[in-house]
Amino acid sequence: MIGTIVNTLVLLVGTSIGCLVKKGINKRYEDVLFIAIGASRSRYWLGKREQHHA
């Protein structure tokens, strides 16, 4: 439960900072971030699946 709250807060802070900056980030860094987020989410769901089937 605490992870969900922290995740939501971090998301809101990040979105707020992004809106304030408005310029955006370099395309290269954006690509790296999307890959890292995708990989971490995939690992998270695979871990959840393993726990469920155990």
Side-chain angles (χ1 to χ4, degrees):
M1 179 68 174
I2 189 78
T4 302
I5 295 169
V6 170
N7 190 25
T8 303
L9 291 174
V10 170
L11 180 73
L12 292 173
V13 169
T15 302
S16 299
I17 291 171
C19 288
L20 290 174
V21 172
K22 288 188 182 178
K23 183 179 178 182
I25 60 174
N26 187 334
K27 178 69 173 154
R28 179 177 167 220
Y29 293 122
E30 182 180 329
D31 291 342
V32 169
L33 285 172
F34 280 136
I35 291 169
I37 291 168
S40 67
R41 295 302 296 168
S42 295
R43 178 62 190 123
Y44 171 78
W45 286 112
L46 287 173
K48 283 288 195 182
R49 184 177 174 188
E50 290 171 1
Q51 289 175 354
H52 180 69
H53 292 313

